[in-house]
Amino acid sequence: MSEKRLPLESSTILSLSNKLGTPFHIYDARAIRKNAEEMKNAFSWADGFINYFAVKALPNIHILSLLSSLGFGADCSSLPELLLAKEAGFSDEKIMFSSNDTADDEFAFANELQAIINIDDITHIDDVIRVLGRLPEKISFRYNPGKERTGNVIIGNPVEAKYGLRNDQIIPAYKRAKEKGVKHFYLHTMVASNELNEDYIVETARMLFDLVWKIKKEAGVHIEQIDLGGGIGIPYRPEEEKISFYSLSEKIHSLYRNMIEKCGYGRLRISFECGRCITGPYGFLVTKVRHVANKYKNFVGVDASMADLMRPALYGSYHHITVLGKEDKANDHIYDVTGSLCENNDKFAIDRKLPKIEKGDILVIHDTGAHGHAMGFNYNAKLRHAEYLIDDDGIYRIRRDETYEDYVRTMLREKERI
């Protein structure tokens, strides 16, 4: 069981709601810092271990700077994410650039930063050579195991995925990279998302440990680092259990000893690119009830919308909801909790048991610290909302509310002939 805790006293969040206005996202820096340190400590046996935080999960410079100060890396998928990583203090091998359908300027800027370019398709070797005039001295390839593995509902089945090199492509890719002068080789995969079965992650490690031997034997290439991806999930539902970094690490360490150390492979660094399990449980969307309506169902209409949190509409995902001041009341009413977009799937919860809700109540939607604000959009001209950060010495605004002027800034008041 996972206890759904608030980051502050209920009365404090109510006061903040009155002071700041709603909706807003708020993150707990103290908990994020503790969680990040726990991951580092769990994998301290792995010389050179690094987690490249998935910038896409929470692309706020203040969160990224916090993680940079802890020795984390940054996993980037676009040029703006690379710029954010640079500004946050990440550099060189602390940046992994994992993109797909990549633009030339993105390859060029990643190389300028001396980031590790993680090539997603075998044809991209020629693209990188065309853009840079050569391959960088360090390169990674993203591996797709195809029918050898099964995916899950979020990331999909590997044979259906657009990501990564096929089984029959991975050896030729490393051979060609070696011929083109690459000196340092990395291997990456991402076969699950939000996975709560630690054995699935362990089997991914086993798969890559096998593969590094195959690459060494058939391509004559020594892989220096494997990236197990970012599939470690979080317990969105109270009845779910969190994956223990220590338990997971112990199982991977056992495999490492038997498959790498005892067999004389040599040094092999371990890395992840986790975002969700680092910040996800420590973000909260605070929203006010505008209306309670009885139609064919009972609806609670709030001032947030799927523009603030898309996951329930996109995946049917569960996010726990706390009604402030009513934590001890019985959950004896059933509601759909909805936003105000002109889309019927703009819902945070469907048929959810909650205490009786009244207009003006404040709801806290849990576990929005990853893929929450980050997935926001402006449909219906909805303006994106502020983000706040709780730390030991106070509460800080780290992103202001978007304004109408922000929204129309790129629109031309006068048409331009082209």
Side-chain angles (χ1 to χ4, degrees):
M1 299 288 288
S2 59
E3 185 178 356
K4 294 300 177 183
R5 297 178 179 177
L6 296 172
L8 299 164
E9 293 292 333
S10 179
S11 58
T12 303
I13 301 176
L14 285 168
S15 296
L16 282 174
S17 302
N18 292 329
K19 176 182 178 180
L20 304 174
T22 53
F24 59 83
H25 284 271
I26 191 163
Y27 312 108
D28 189 343
R30 304 159 304 178
I32 291 171
R33 191 177 292 114
K34 180 181 178 182
N35 191 44
E37 292 285 10
E38 184 176 301
M39 185 187 211
K40 285 174 54 182
N41 291 338
F43 284 89
S44 60
W45 60 266
D47 185 22
F49 172 80
I50 187 170
N51 181 65
Y52 299 99
F53 178 76
V55 174
K56 66 179 73 68
L58 185 49
N60 188 293
I61 190 69
H62 298 279
I63 300 294
L64 298 178
S65 296
L66 182 159
L67 294 170
S68 175
S69 71
L70 296 174
F72 271 41
D75 170 67
C76 302
S77 59
S78 68
L79 196 151
E81 286 188 359
L82 287 168
L83 288 165
L84 270 175
K86 179 183 178 183
E87 186 174 346
F90 300 100
S91 62
D92 301 341
E93 290 192 3
K94 290 290 183 73
I95 302 175
M96 178 74 73
F97 181 56
S98 297
S99 60
N100 64 94
D101 295 322
T102 308
D104 289 354
D105 59 346
E106 293 178 323
F107 281 135
F109 189 62
N111 183 66
E112 181 182 325
L113 293 181
Q114 299 183 51
I116 301 164
I117 296 177
N118 188 27
I119 293 179
D120 179 65
D121 187 83
I122 196 166
T123 64
H124 294 180
I125 297 174
D126 289 328
D127 289 327
V128 174
I129 292 172
R130 175 177 51 78
V131 172
L132 306 181
R134 55 174 173 74
L135 288 180
E137 284 198 352
K138 55 180 184 282
I139 207 77
S140 177
F141 288 105
R142 180 169 183 165
Y143 172 60
N144 182 331
K147 64 182 181 180
E148 302 298 320
R149 297 295 299 277
T150 57
N152 60 18
V153 67
I154 295 179
I155 203 166
N157 195 315
V159 295
E160 302 290 341
K162 65 176 182 173
Y163 309 110
L165 281 70
R166 300 191 312 255
N167 275 307
D168 61 320
Q169 295 173 328
I170 199 75
I171 299 299
Y174 280 105
K175 283 182 176 179
R176 185 154 186 240
K178 182 181 179 182
E179 291 167 358
K180 291 295 181 180
V182 174
K183 305 297 184 187
H184 304 284
F185 299 91
Y186 301 72
L187 173 63
H188 168 279
T189 197
M190 179 78 177
V191 291
S193 180
N194 194 35
E195 182 58 60
L196 288 176
N197 179 1
E198 67 181 28
D199 289 335
Y200 194 97
I201 311 299
V202 175
E203 286 308 303
T204 298
R206 185 193 305 275
M207 177 183 76
L208 292 189
F209 291 158
D210 277 333
L211 187 54
V212 297
W213 276 110
K214 181 178 180 180
I215 292 168
K216 187 165 189 171
K217 291 172 183 176
E218 297 184 22
V221 164
H222 181 93
I223 301 297
E224 298 180 16
Q225 179 174 305
I226 59 168
D227 188 320
L228 299 172
I232 301 175
I234 62 173
Y236 285 100
R237 296 177 180 271
E239 65 269 21
E240 293 173 335
E241 292 286 348
K242 176 185 177 182
I243 281 184
S244 163
F245 291 144
Y246 290 98
S247 175
L248 176 64
S249 173
E250 183 178 342
K251 291 181 178 182
I252 293 175
H253 193 187
S254 178
L255 280 182
Y256 186 90
R257 283 192 297 261
N258 291 324
M259 299 178 70
I260 300 299
E261 284 182 347
K262 290 181 180 179
C263 298
Y265 181 84
R267 188 183 186 215
L268 178 65
R269 296 191 300 272
I270 308 291
S271 65
F272 284 92
E273 57 176 54
C274 293
R276 186 194 314 269
C277 71
I278 301 302
T279 60
Y282 313 114
F284 306 83
L285 175 58
V286 182
T287 182
K288 179 182 284 189
V289 176
R290 284 177 172 169
H291 304 283
V292 179
N294 176 251
K295 302 188 180 182
Y296 294 103
K297 302 181 75 174
N298 292 319
F299 293 95
V300 171
V302 298
D303 57 6
S305 72
M306 63 184 278
D308 299 292
L309 178 64
M310 193 193 296
R311 295 188 73 255
L314 188 61
Y315 300 118
S317 303
Y318 178 97
H319 281 260
H320 196 69
I321 296 174
T322 295
V323 185
L324 294 185
K326 298 182 178 180
E327 293 90 337
D328 297 327
K329 300 290 185 181
N331 294 324
D332 53 3
H333 288 62
I334 297 177
Y335 300 103
D336 283 12
V337 180
T338 69
S340 59
L341 288 187
C342 297
E343 296 290 336
N344 199 44
N345 67 336
D346 180 18
K347 296 181 179 182
F348 297 110
I350 297 174
D351 295 331
R352 183 71 59 85
K353 291 183 178 180
L354 294 166
K356 182 180 180 181
I357 293 178
E358 300 164 288
K359 184 176 181 177
D361 279 345
I362 300 296
L363 309 186
V364 175
I365 302 176
H366 292 250
D367 302 310
T368 69
H371 312 290
H373 191 283
M375 296 178 76
F377 55 95
N378 289 117
Y379 181 58
N380 280 182
K382 292 292 185 181
L383 303 178
R384 301 180 68 189
H385 295 110
E387 295 176 291
Y388 296 88
L389 188 67
I390 308 163
D391 214 332
D392 292 327
D393 56 350
I395 301 173
Y396 298 89
R397 183 169 65 172
I398 58 173
R399 188 192 299 270
R400 64 170 172 78
D401 285 307
E402 193 175 32
T403 66
Y404 173 74
E405 286 305 315
D406 294 324
Y407 178 66
V408 300
R409 182 166 293 163
T410 56
M411 297 183 195
L412 301 178
R413 280 353 195 248
E414 297 293 332
K415 294 181 292 186
E416 289 184 359
R417 185 179 295 275
I418 58 172

